C-alpha cells in the first residue's frame, strides 16, 4: 500500500497493443481486480494509461509483483522493453507454464534492475546502506526467504532447548495476536488479563501489588508457592530467562542493600554464589549490575554445584546462592534440598539470612511432572524466587520466560514501577517495555490445552526417547554417557577413546547429515572432558532418535577409516626419537590448533548453550 | 444434561466445538481450584476457540491511536514472520543468515544516522527487544565509561547522574533506579514541553554520565534542539574538561527526521552524540518487539560489557540483556528496509504527516481545541480543550471509546501539569478516510457533551469554595459545610490528579 506509483506515461500505446495481443480473457479478468486494488490503495485515480505495458505479457498469477510495481526510471523502462521481448519468446508456448524462478528477477543477471541494484547494495557494499528505491513486496519476500534457506533447520537442531514446533492452532493464535503490543494493558484488556489483572478495585494497596496473571498463578501453584486460597502469586512474564534472572538478581541485590543499610554496614561489595556450570547470563548479571560472581568449581565426574562447597563460600556480602535445576551441561538437577538444609544451619549460626534462587530454566517444567516428590521449589523455606523458561519445556517458541517470587516481601517495592496508562495503574517490573503479546497467549494456550496430564505425557515421552537414544549409543560401545537418567531429557556423551578422533570431529561429520549436535568442553577444573550433547525436545520422535543412532554409527565407521589428525601431528613430532623438522605450514597449523582450542575453551562452553 | 450425554455417546471428535464439554466447563480462571493448571488436556480446536473468543474482547489494535507501535504489515512480511517464529535469535551458529541480517540492519541504521563509519568498517550496534532495552544498554555503556574515566583520574565514582527533560519515557527512570544512577530532570514550562538545552547544560556536573535528548517527545512529538545542546555542551566541556557526552533517544523520531528533515542536525553529525536508540516497532514499521541502539564508534562501547560468542569460527560480540528470543522481528525489519528503501520510508512518513495535517485542520475548524503539537516532528496531533471548565479531555477520551477509538488523555509532567491533552498518533495504517471519520466522531462527541450537564461544575463549586476557604476569604461570606460524599469525591479527585501527574507510560 506504500509507494505505489504506477506511472509510465509513454506506455499508453503499447499497453493497448498488448491488450489485443493477449488472447486469454481469463488473464485480463484476473488482472483487473489487482490493478484496481493497487491503484485504490495508492490513492491514484484509476486510469488505464497508468498501467505498465508489461502487465499483459507476464503471467498474472505467478508474477503479481509486476502488477504492483514501483516507480520506474527512464532507463528502467528501456530495460523492461528488452525484457518484454525476451519473456515473449519464452512464453510463446504457454505463459502459464512459467515458474516464478523463470522471471526476470532470477534470470536477469546482465542489466541491473532496480531489484538487483538493491541486492548489489546489500551484498557487495560493505557499508550496507539502505537502498534508495522500493522493490515489490513479493520480490522482497523471495530474496529474504531464499537467503534464510541457508539457515539450519530448527527441527534438526539438537543443540538448543528452545521449542521449534507448536500446534498449527497455536501458530494461528500467535499470528493473530502479533500486532498486539503486550504493554498497552488498557487497550487490550483481555490479553493483559491473561498475564496481568489490574488491581484498582481489588486492593487499596495497589501500589504494592505486582501484576498478577493466570499464567503466573498456574506456574506458582505448580512450584508449590505458599499461597492462600484467594491469594495471587507474585511474578512476571519476561522475554526469556535472562531477563528473569536479572530481575530476580536485582531484587536480591536491593533487598540485601536495604538490610545492610538498616544495619549500618557497608553495602558496596555484593557477591553471588553459583556453580561453574551456570548459563552465561549469570555472568552478565554480575558484570552489568556490579556484583561479584563466586563460582564453585566443578571436578571430573561431578558436573554440578557441590552444595557443601557452595555454602562454604557464602559470606555476609552474599546476596543469594543460585542453584540450577537442570544444568545446561548434562541436564542434572542440583541437590537444592541439601543446599537448603546446609544454608539453614549456616544462617542460624551467622544470622546472615542468605536466600536461594533456583534457576529452573530448563528443569522447571520437567520436575513437577516427572518427579513430583522431589523437593526443589517453594516447599523449601529458603527458596525465595524461581525462574523458568516458557520457551524451553514450557513448549512455546522463543521469547518467553517467567520469574516467580515466594511472596510480596521478597520483591522490594522500590523496584516496581507504577505506570498510569489511560487512567489504569499498571505496576511493572521488567527490563523491556513494548513487546509482542503472542508468546504470552501461546503459553496460556499450552497450559490450558495440555493441562497437567498433557505436560506429563510430553515429558514422559521425551524422557523415554532420551533413554532409547542412550541405549542405542551405549550399544555402539564407543561412548561414555555423562548425563544422568534423572534430570532434563538430554543425552550427553563423550568418546571412550578420543586419542584418534575427538568429539568435535564427530559433531562436524554429523552436520553433513543435517544434524546439529554441539560438542563442547566442560568448564574449568573439568575442561579436559569434551562432550557431545543431544537435547530431546517434544518434537524429537523415536524414529528420529533411531535415525540419529544410525547416523552416528556411520560417522564412527567413517572416522575409523580416516587417519587421525592428532596422531599425524604426534608422529611428526618424532615419537621414535628423531627430531622431525617442521615446515612453516606445519608450525602455523600447530599454533593455530592451540589457539583454536584455547578460544574454544574460553567461549564455546556456556555461550552457545541456551 | 440429557443432551450432553447423548452427544458424548457419539464420540468426542464428532462434537461441534461449541457443543463440547470444554466450552461448557469453566476455564481455570473461574474454576474453584483457583488459578491451578487444569488436570486434563483438551482438544486443540477447543483450546483455540476458548482463547480466540476471549481475545475478541480486546480492543482493535488498528483503532488504537494511543500507541506508536506498528499494528499492520504487509501479508508477505507476515508470512516471513510466521516462518521464522521457531528460530531462536541467539543460535548464531545454527542460523547464520539471521545473524547476518541483523548486522546489515545495524549498518543501514548507522548510515542513516550518519555514523562516521569507514568504507570497510562495520557499524557498532545491536538489535534489542525495544527501546527500553536499548536505553538500558546505552546508559550502562555511558555509566561504565564514566566510571573508568573517574577511576583513571583517581576520583570517586559512586554518585553518577544523568540529565534529561521531564518529558522522557518511563524507561529512563527505570534505568536510573535499577542501575543506581541519579536522574536529574529539567522541568518543563507551559507552552514549552521539551527539554530546554540551556537549563540542561546548567544541570551538568562532574558526575554526569550523559545528557539524554529526545527526538520526538512522547507528549507532543516535538524534536528537541540537539544541535544547540551540542554547541552549549561543547563550550561547557571546553571550560571544565568534563567531556560529558550526549545520547539521543530517537525512539519515535529516528525514522522520521532522516526522511523528512534530512538537513536537521541531530545525529552523529554532532560530535558529542555518542549513541542513538530507535524503535523498530514504531516508525521502523515492524510489529512490537524490536529496537536498535547504535554507537558512534567502537570506543564508545566499553569492552568489558561485551560478551564474545564464538560464531562459526568467527567472533560475534554480543551486548544484550535478553538472550533467547524470536528472530522474526529482525527479519521483518530487514524486509521493510529492502522492500521500502529510502524512497518508500519517505513516502510513508510524508503520508503520515499529511494525514496529521488533515486531522489538525479538522480539529482547528471545530474551534474548540488548542493544538499543542508542532508541525515539525513526529506525526501526531496533541490537542487540549480551549475551554475545559465544563468538560475535560478525559470525558472526550471516554466518549470516543464508544465509537471504537482509543485516544488517550493525560496531564503534562510537573510544572505544566494543569494542562491536559488528547493525543492521536498517526501511524502508517491510519488513512485519510479514517482521519476524516475521526473528526466527525469528535464533533459528535462535542455536540453530545454540550447537551449534557457538566460533571465538573457540580463538583467544582465546592472545590473552589474550599480553595477560598483555605485562602481565608469566602466568596459569599458563608462557610460551606461539606457532606461526607462531597469530601470523598474531593479526596478522590486529588488522588486522581496525583496519579495522573505521575509519568504517563506513553510508548
Amino acid at each position: 500500500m506504500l509507494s505505489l506509483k504506477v506511472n509510465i506515461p509513454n506506455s499508453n500505446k503499447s499497453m493497448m497493443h498488448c491488450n489485443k495481443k493477449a488472447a486469454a480473457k481469463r488473464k485480463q479478468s484476473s488482472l483487473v481486480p489487482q490493478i484496481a486494488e493497487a491503484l485504490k490503495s495508492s490513492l491514484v485515480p484509476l486510469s488505464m494509461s497508468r498501467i505498465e505495458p508489461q502487465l499483459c505479457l507476464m503471467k498474472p498469477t505467478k508474477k503479481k509483483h509486476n502488477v504492483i510495481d514501483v516507480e520506474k526510471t527512464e532507463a528502467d523502462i528501456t530495460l523492461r522493453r528488452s525484457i518484454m521481448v525476451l519473456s515473449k519468446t519464452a512464453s510463446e508456448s504457454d505463459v502459464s507454464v512459467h515458474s516464478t524462478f523463470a522471471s526476470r528477477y532470477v534470470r536477469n543477471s546482465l542489466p541491473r534492475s532496480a531489484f538487483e541494484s538493491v541486492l548489489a547494495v546489500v551484498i557487495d557494499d560493505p557499508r550496507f546502506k539502505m537502498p534508495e528505491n522500493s522493490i515489490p513486496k513479493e520480490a522482497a519476500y523471495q530474496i529474504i526467504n531464499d537467503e534464510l534457506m541457508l539457515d539450519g533447520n530448527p527441527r534438526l537442531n539438537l543443540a538448543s532447548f528452545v521449542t521449534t514446533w507448536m500446534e498449527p492452532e497455536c501458530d494461528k493464535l500467535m499470528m493473530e495476536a502479533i500486532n498486539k503490543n503486550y504493554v498497552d494493558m488498557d487497550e487490550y484488556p483481555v490479553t493483559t488479563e491473561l498475564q496481568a489483572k489490574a488491581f484498582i478495585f481489588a486492593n487499596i494497596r495497589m501500589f504494592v501489588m505486582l501484576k498478577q496473571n493466570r499464567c503466573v498463578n498456574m506456574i506458582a501453584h505448580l512450584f508449590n508457592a505458599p499461597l492462600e486460597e484467594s491469594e495471587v502469586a507474585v511474578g512476571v512474564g519476561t522475554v526469556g530467562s535472562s531477563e528473569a534472572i536479572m530481575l530476580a538478581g536485582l531484587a536480591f541485590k536491593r533487598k540485601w542493600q536495604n538490610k545492610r543499610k538498616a544495619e549500618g554496614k557497608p553495602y558496596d561489595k555484593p557477591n553471588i554464589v553459583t556453580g561453574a556450570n551456570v548459563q552465561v547470563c549469570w555472568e552478565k548479571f554480575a558484570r552489568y549490575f556490579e556484583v561479584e560472581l563466586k563460582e564453585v568449581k566443578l571436578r571430573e565426574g561431578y558436573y554440578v554445584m557441590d552444595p557443601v562447597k557452595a555454602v562454604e563460600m557464602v559470606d555476609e556480602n552474599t546476596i543469594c546462592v543460585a542453584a540450577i535445576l537442570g544444568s545446561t551441561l548434562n541436564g542434572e538437577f542440583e541437590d537444592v534440598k541439601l543446599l537448603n538444609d546446609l544454608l539453614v544451619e549456616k544462617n542460624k549460626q551467622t544470622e546472615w539470612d542468605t536466600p536461594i534462587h533456583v534457576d529452573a530454566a530448563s528443569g522447571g517444567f520437567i520436575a513437577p511432572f516427572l518427579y513430583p516428590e522431589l523437593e526443589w521449589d517453594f516447599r523449601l523455606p529458603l527458596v525465595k524466587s524461581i525462574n523458568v523458561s516458557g520457551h524451553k519445556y514450557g513448549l512455546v517458541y522463543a521469547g518467553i520466560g517467567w520469574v516467580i517470587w515466594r511472596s510480596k516481601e521478597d520483591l522490594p517495592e522500590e523496584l516496581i514501577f507504577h505506570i498510569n496508562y489511560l487512567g489504569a495503574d499498571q505496576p511493572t517490573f521488567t527490563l523491556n517495555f513494548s513487546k509482542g503479546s503472542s508468546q504470552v497467549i501461546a503459553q496460556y494456550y499450552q497450559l490450558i490445552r495440555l493441562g497437567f496430564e498433557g505436560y506429563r505425557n510430553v515429558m514422559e515421552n521425551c524422557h523415554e526417547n532420551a533413554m532409547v537414544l542412550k541405549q542405542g549409543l551405549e550399544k555402539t560401545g564407543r561412548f561414555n554417557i555423562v548425563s544422568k537418567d534423572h534430570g532434563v531429557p538430554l543425552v550427553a556423551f563423550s568418546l571412550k577413546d578420543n586419542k584418534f578422533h575427538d568429539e568435535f570431529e564427530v559433531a562436524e561429520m554429523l552436520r553433513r547429515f543435517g544434524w546439529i549436535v554441539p560438542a563442547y568442553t566442560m568448564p574449568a577444573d573439568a575442561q579436559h572432558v569434551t562432550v557431545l550433547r543431544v537435547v530431546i525436545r517434544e518434537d524429537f520422535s523415536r524414529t528420529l532418535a533411531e535415525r540419529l543412532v544410525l547416523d552416528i554409527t556411520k560417522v564412527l565407521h567413517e572416522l575409523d577409516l580416516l587417519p587421525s589428525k592428532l596422531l599425524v601431528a604426534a608422529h611428526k613430532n618424532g615419537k621414535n626419537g628423531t627430531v622431525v623438522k617442521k615446515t612453516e605450514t606445519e608450525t602455523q597449523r600447530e599454533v593455530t590448533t592451540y589457539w583454536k582450542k584455547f578460544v574454544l575453551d574460553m567461549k564455546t562452553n556456556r555461550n552457545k548453550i541456551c | 444434561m440429557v443432551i450432553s450425554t447423548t452427544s458424548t455417546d457419539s464420540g468426542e471428535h464428532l462434537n461441534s466445538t461449541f457443543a463440547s464439554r470444554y466450552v461448557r466447563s469453566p476455564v481455570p480462571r473461574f474454576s474453584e481450584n483457583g488459578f491451578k493448571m487444569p488436570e486434563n488436556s483438551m482438544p486443540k480446536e477447543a483450546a483455540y476457540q476458548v482463547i480466540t473468543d476471549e481475545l475478541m474482547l480486546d480492543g482493535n489494535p488498528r483503532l488504537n491511536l494511543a500507541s506508536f507501535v506498528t499494528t499492520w504489515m504487509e501479508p508477505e512480511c507476515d508470512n516471513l514472520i510466521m516462518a521464522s517464529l521457531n528460530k531462536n535469535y541467539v543460535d548464531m551458529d545454527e542460523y547464520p543468515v539471521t545473524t547476518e541480517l541483523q548486522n546489515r540492519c545495524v549498518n543501514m541504521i548507522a548510515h542513516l544516522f550518519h555514523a562516521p563509519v569507514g568504507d570497510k568498517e562495520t557499524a557498532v550496534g545491536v538489535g534489542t527487544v525495544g527501546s527500553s532495552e536499548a536505553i538500558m544498554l546505552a546508559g550502562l555503556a555511558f555509566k561504565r565509561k564514566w566510571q573508568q574515566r573517574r577511576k583513571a583520574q583517581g576520583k570517586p565514582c559512586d554518585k553518577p547522574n544523568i540529565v534529561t527533560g521531564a518529558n522522557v519515557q518511563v524507561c529512563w527512570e527505570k534505568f536510573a533506579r535499577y542501575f543506581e544512577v541519579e536522574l536529574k530532570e529539567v522541568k518543563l514550562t507551559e507552552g514549552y514541553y521539551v527539554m530546554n538545552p540551556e537549563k540542561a547544560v546548567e544541570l551538568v556536573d562532574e558526575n554526569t554520565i550523559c545528557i539524554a535528548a529526545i527526538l520526538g517527545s512522547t507528549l507532543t512529538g516535538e524534536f528537541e534542539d540537539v544541535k544547540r545542546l551540542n554547541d552549549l555542551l561543547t563550550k561547557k566541556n571546553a571550560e571544565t574538561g568534563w567531556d560529558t557526552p550526549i545520547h539521543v533517544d530517537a525512539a519515535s523520531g529516528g525514522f522520521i527526521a532522516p526522511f523528512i528533515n534530512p538537513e536537521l542536525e541531530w545525529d552523529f553529525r554532532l560530535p558529542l552524540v555518542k549513541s542513538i536508540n530507535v524503535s523498530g516497532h514504531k516508525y521502523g514499521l515492524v510489529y512490537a518487539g524490536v529496537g536498535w541502539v547504535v554507537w558512534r564508534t567502537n570506543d564508545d562501547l566499553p569492552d568489558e560489557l561485551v560478551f564474545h560468542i564464538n560464531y562459526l569460527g568467527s567472533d560475534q560480540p554480543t551486548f544484550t540483556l535478553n538472550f533467547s528470543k524470536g528472530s522474526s522481528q529482525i527479519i521483518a525489519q530487514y524486509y521493510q528496509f529492502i522492500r521500502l528503501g529510502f524512497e518508500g520510508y519517505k513516502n510513508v512518513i510524508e503520508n503520515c504527516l499529511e494525514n496529521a495535517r488533515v486531522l489538525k485542520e479538522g480539529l482547528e475548524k471545530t474551534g474548540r481545541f488548542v493544538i499543542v503539537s508542532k508541525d515539525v516532528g513526529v506525526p501526531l496531533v496533541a490537542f487540549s480543550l480551549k475551554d475545559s471548565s465544563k468538560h475535560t479531555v478525559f470525558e472526550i477520551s471516554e466518549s470516543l471509546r464508544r465509537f471504537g477509538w482509543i485516544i488517550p488523555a493525560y496531564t503534562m509532567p510537573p510544572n505544566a501539569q494543569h494542562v491536559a491533552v488528547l493525543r492521536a498518533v498517526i501511524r502508517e495504517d491510519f488513512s485519510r478516510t479514517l482521519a476524516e471519520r475521526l473528526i466527525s466522531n469528535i464533533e459528535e462527541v462535542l455536540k453530545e457533551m454540550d447537551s449534557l450537564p457538566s460533571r465538573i461544575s457540580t463538583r467544582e463549586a465546592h472545590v473552589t469554595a474550599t480553595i477560598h476557604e483555605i485562602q481565608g476569604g469566602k466568596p459569599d461570606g458563608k462557610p460551606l459545610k461539606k457532606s461526607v460524599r462531597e469530601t470523598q469525591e474531593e479526596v478522590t479527585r486529588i488522588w486522581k490528579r496525583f496519579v495522573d501527574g505521575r509519568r504517563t507510560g506513553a510508548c
Side-chain angles (χ1 to χ4, degrees), chain A residues 464-481 491 493 542 545-554 556:
Chain A
E464 216 165 288
N465 285 331
M467 290 304 107
V468 168
L469 181 62
K470 188 190 134 193
Q471 280 153 16
L473 289 171
E474 273 172 344
K475 220 180 272 173
T476 63
R478 304 282 293 265
F479 296 107
N480 288 322
I481 307 294
V491 183
F493 50 103
R542 185 171 301 205
E546 281 159 5
R547 182 92 226 155
L548 178 61
V549 175
L550 213 68
D551 287 343
I552 288 176
T553 324
K554 267 190 225 165
L556 287 175

Side-chain angles (χ1 to χ4, degrees), chain A residues 2 122 131-132 134-135 147 151-152 164 179 190-191 218 287-288 414-415 421-422 449-450 452-453 607, chain B residues 35 38-39 41-42 58 71 86 94 97-98 104 177-178 304-305 308 334 339-340 342-343 408 428 505:
Chain A
L2 334 155
V122 167
E132 264 315 303
S134 307
I135 59 171
E147 235 188 309
D151 269 352
T164 53
N179 65 351
V190 180
T191 310
M218 285 192 218
R287 219 185 283 176
Y288 294 169
E414 55 185 287
L415 293 176
Y421 206 80
L422 299 181
R449 149 93 173 105
L450 295 175
F452 194 89
E453 177 197 20
N607 298 341
Chain B
F35 288 101
E39 253 330 293
S41 307
M42 70 161 90
D58 268 357
T71 53
N86 64 353
E94 279 68 46
V97 177
T98 309
R104 284 186 207 164
R177 219 184 285 175
Y178 294 169
E304 57 181 286
L305 294 176
H308 291 270
Y334 184 69
R339 150 89 173 108
L340 296 175
F342 192 90
E343 175 200 22
E428 179 193 8

Side-chain angles (χ1 to χ4, degrees), chain A residues 489-601:
Chain A
L490 62 80
V491 183
F493 50 103
S494 59
L495 277 168
K496 275 186 187 161
D497 174 19
N498 59 3
K499 275 205 280 297
F500 297 99
H501 296 284
D502 60 12
E503 288 81 358
F504 291 100
E505 287 178 76
V506 177
E508 259 169 55
M509 298 274 270
L510 277 173
R511 284 223 171 199
R512 281 189 302 149
F513 293 95
W515 299 107
I516 302 170
V517 177
Y520 50 87
T521 48
M522 288 287 192
D525 282 6
Q527 73 262 55
H528 55 284
V529 182
T530 309
V531 296
L532 288 156
R533 192 189 72 173
V534 175
V535 172
I536 313 295
R537 287 191 309 266
E538 181 193 8
D539 55 332
F540 186 78
S541 65
R542 185 171 301 205
T543 334
L544 283 180
E546 281 159 5
R547 182 92 226 155
L548 178 61
V549 175
L550 213 68
D551 287 343
I552 288 176
T553 324
K554 267 190 225 165
V555 165
L556 287 175
H557 277 301
E558 241 171 284
L559 280 177
D560 288 343
L561 299 175
L562 285 176
S564 165
K565 279 187 205 167
L566 304 167
L567 212 60
V568 170
H571 265 300
K572 290 206 170 145
N573 272 345
K575 256 187 171 177
N576 42 11
T578 53
V579 181
V580 180
K581 202 162 181 288
K582 279 175 274 181
T583 67
E584 206 180 321
T585 352
E586 273 168 1
T587 323
Q588 278 177 356
R589 204 173 285 159
E590 205 175 299
V591 174
T592 315
T593 320
Y594 279 112
W595 271 102
K596 201 176 166 190
K597 192 140 195 246
F598 174 72
V599 171
L600 281 175
D601 286 349

Side-chain angles (χ1 to χ4, degrees), chain A residues 120-134:
Chain A
V121 166
V122 167
I123 291 163
D124 303 342
D125 192 341
R127 294 175 300 167
F128 303 129
K129 271 192 196 150
M130 193 189 239
E132 264 315 303
N133 296 315
S134 307

Side-chain angles (χ1 to χ4, degrees), chain B residues 133-171:
Chain B
E133 191 190 350
I135 283 168
M136 295 208 187
L137 294 176
L140 190 54
F142 281 121
K143 186 186 170 193
R144 204 48 62 90
K145 260 213 113 186
W146 172 83
Q147 281 175 330
Q148 284 174 353
R149 204 173 55 226
R150 298 283 290 180
K151 269 184 204 158
Q153 293 170 347
K155 288 178 184 164
C157 57
D158 55 341
K159 297 231 176 303
N161 69 53
I162 189 166
V163 175
T164 66
N167 55 330
V168 287
Q169 224 252 0
V170 70
C171 58

Side-chain angles (χ1 to χ4, degrees), chain A residues 293-305:
Chain A
L293 190 70
K294 285 180 158 186
E295 290 189 351
V296 180
K297 294 272 188 301
L298 309 184
R299 55 176 196 269
E300 193 176 343
Y302 193 80
Y303 302 117
V304 291
M305 179 175 75

